[in-house]
Amino acid sequence: MAFRPIGARTSALRGIKLVSAATLVAEVGDLTRFDNPKQLMAYVGLVPSEHSSGARTHRGRITRAGNAQARTTLVEAGWSYRLPAREERRYRERVADLPEEVQAIGWKPGATVSAFPSIVGDR
């Protein structure tokens, strides 16, 4: 896959621009290999650890197993969601060439990294 289409589509998400998109494409590779967002999160180590015995279940901190660079990039990009969404001129220019469905997913205030498979491409 070429970087340009994937990088442009992932940059529709808030907090992700050229460097973050390039890092994710380089570190994770082909996102279509993941069947669902949970698999992607497990790959980068953004799932909680679990200690369970019988009926008792305790979830702890993130496992931090997996690709550290991709995990760091996603966490840093996620910080942009703490602020209210504003559709600025720079954002509109960045997503002007993208399909309407990708723009809609990228603009959703609640859009998170779980939207990646639907942004990156069809199966």
Side-chain angles (χ1 to χ4, degrees), residues 47-63:
V47 293
S49 60
E50 182 175 314
H51 306 283
S52 56
S53 176
R56 186 184 71 81
T57 301
H58 173 73
R59 290 205 166 92
R61 300 176 180 174
I62 62 171
T63 60

Side-chain angles (χ1 to χ4, degrees), residues 24 28 34 39-47 62-72 74:
L24 289 174
V28 177
F34 301 107
Q39 288 181 347
L40 173 62
M41 294 298 99
Y43 177 78
V44 297
L46 285 174
V47 293
I62 62 171
T63 60
R64 296 191 310 195
N67 192 311
Q69 187 66 43
R71 179 176 57 251
T72 302
L74 290 174

Side-chain angles (χ1 to χ4, degrees), residues 22-97:
T23 302
L24 289 174
V25 170
E27 295 293 329
V28 177
D30 185 14
L31 292 174
T32 59
R33 66 186 170 143
F34 301 107
D35 291 333
N36 55 47
K38 288 181 181 180
Q39 288 181 347
L40 173 62
M41 294 298 99
Y43 177 78
V44 297
L46 285 174
V47 293
S49 60
E50 182 175 314
H51 306 283
S52 56
S53 176
R56 186 184 71 81
T57 301
H58 173 73
R59 290 205 166 92
R61 300 176 180 174
I62 62 171
T63 60
R64 296 191 310 195
N67 192 311
Q69 187 66 43
R71 179 176 57 251
T72 302
T73 302
L74 290 174
V75 168
E76 289 296 321
W79 278 101
S80 66
Y81 283 90
R82 78 189 192 292
L83 302 172
R86 291 181 299 182
E87 190 173 7
E88 296 179 351
R89 180 182 49 83
R90 290 176 292 169
Y91 177 78
R92 287 193 307 268
E93 290 172 357
R94 192 169 73 225
V95 299
D97 299 335

